[in-house]
Structures are given as structure tokens and as C-alpha cells.
Amino acid sequence: MSASMSAQHAGSVTSTWGRRAAAGVLGGLAGGVVFGMLMAMMGMLTTIASMVGSHSAWVGFGVHLMISVVYGLVLTLLFTRFLRSYGRAAASGAVFGVVLWVIGPLMVMPIMLGMQVFSMDATAMMSLMGHLVYGILAALVAVRVLKARRA
């Protein structure tokens, strides 16, 4: 392999990872903003804020967006093969949202806040709906970014 081919290959790998990372950040933010608005309407942002010792809805929204970006990156960096078409991405995003719901509000958050794990009530069901919206929207935005023509 020549030096120019090696450099060319390295550039394409970097740009692929960069595009996937950009797709994850943008998808995570898109899903996070919409889900965050739903959480604000339900009064849940202060609960998110309490995970970091605050009672501010704005802090809760910030924490939520940071988590949303991390999950968006997980989606695009680890599960890109499911993001090749909008239909497949929507289905994969829904599954991803359910997994996040089980891990986050049903397990990790209750443990952090000293609450009962796997508690099923109306709030948990609303959270499931929000996580489905997040996962589907994050995946669809990611596909759009991944399919965008390179400038």
C-alpha cells in the first residue's frame, strides 16, 4: 500500500467516524429537545435535576440534553448498521428507546434517588412514550445526517 493510499484510507475512516459522531450529536439533540419539552410539560425536569443535587428545571434540562447526546453517540457509533434506511432506523430507534427506558428511569434513576426499581405507574408509561419519541427521532435525524451529501 502506498503512502498516499494509506493517508487516503485514514482520511476516509476519520470522516466516517466524524460523520457518525455528528449524526449522533444532532440526532441526540433533536430527540432530547423534543423529549425535554414533553418532560417540562409533565414537570419531570426537576426530578432529573435532583440526580445532580439541584432542583432547577433548567439544570434538569441541561442534564437531560447531555444524556441525550451521549445516547445519540452510542446509537450512531455502535449501531450504524441499523441506520441505513428511514424505516429500519425508525424501528431500531423504537427498540433503542425502550432499552434506554428500562436502563434509565426504571433502573439507574431510581437507584440514584433511593426509589423503587422497576416501578410501573402512569409516570413510567409517559416516560416510555418519551423514550420512544426520543429513540425514533434521534435515529431518523441520524439517518438524514448520514445520507447527506458530503460538501
Side-chain angles (χ1 to χ4, degrees), residues 8-26 69-70 72-81 83-84 142 145-146 150:
Q8 208 173 28
H9 178 68
S12 68
V13 170
T14 302
S15 65
T16 299
W17 278 95
R19 183 176 285 275
R20 288 165 61 188
V25 169
L26 293 173
V69 167
V70 169
L73 288 167
V74 168
L75 176 66
T76 59
L77 295 176
L78 299 181
F79 303 108
T80 307
R81 69 178 165 261
L83 303 175
R84 300 202 197 293
V145 172
L146 292 169
R150 296 177 198 247

Side-chain angles (χ1 to χ4, degrees), residues 71-149:
Y71 283 152
L73 288 167
V74 168
L75 176 66
T76 59
L77 295 176
L78 299 181
F79 303 108
T80 307
R81 69 178 165 261
F82 299 109
L83 303 175
R84 300 202 197 293
S85 71
Y86 290 108
R88 192 170 183 189
S92 300
V95 170
F96 190 66
V98 171
V99 169
L100 296 179
W101 173 67
V102 170
I103 292 169
L106 293 186
M107 291 174 46
V108 173
M109 196 169 90
I111 290 169
M112 288 179 72
L113 299 176
M115 299 163 54
Q116 181 180 352
V117 177
F118 293 110
S119 176
M120 291 293 170
D121 57 13
T123 301
M125 292 298 105
M126 291 301 292
S127 177
L128 171 60
M129 293 300 112
H131 282 84
L132 285 169
V133 167
Y134 168 81
I136 293 168
L137 187 54
L140 292 175
V141 169
V143 168
R144 177 69 183 116
V145 172
L146 292 169
K147 287 181 173 279
R149 294 186 81 145

Side-chain angles (χ1 to χ4, degrees), residues 11-90:
S12 68
V13 170
T14 302
S15 65
T16 299
W17 278 95
R19 183 176 285 275
R20 288 165 61 188
V25 169
L26 293 173
L29 283 173
V33 166
V34 172
F35 186 16
M37 290 188 301
L38 296 172
M39 292 174 71
M41 288 189 285
M42 295 185 323
M44 292 301 300
L45 291 175
T46 55
T47 303
I48 302 300
S50 69
M51 293 185 345
V52 295
S54 176
H55 298 289
S56 165
W58 287 107
V59 170
F61 188 68
V63 169
H64 170 72
L65 284 182
M66 287 188 290
I67 293 168
S68 296
V69 167
V70 169
Y71 283 152
L73 288 167
V74 168
L75 176 66
T76 59
L77 295 176
L78 299 181
F79 303 108
T80 307
R81 69 178 165 261
F82 299 109
L83 303 175
R84 300 202 197 293
S85 71
Y86 290 108
R88 192 170 183 189

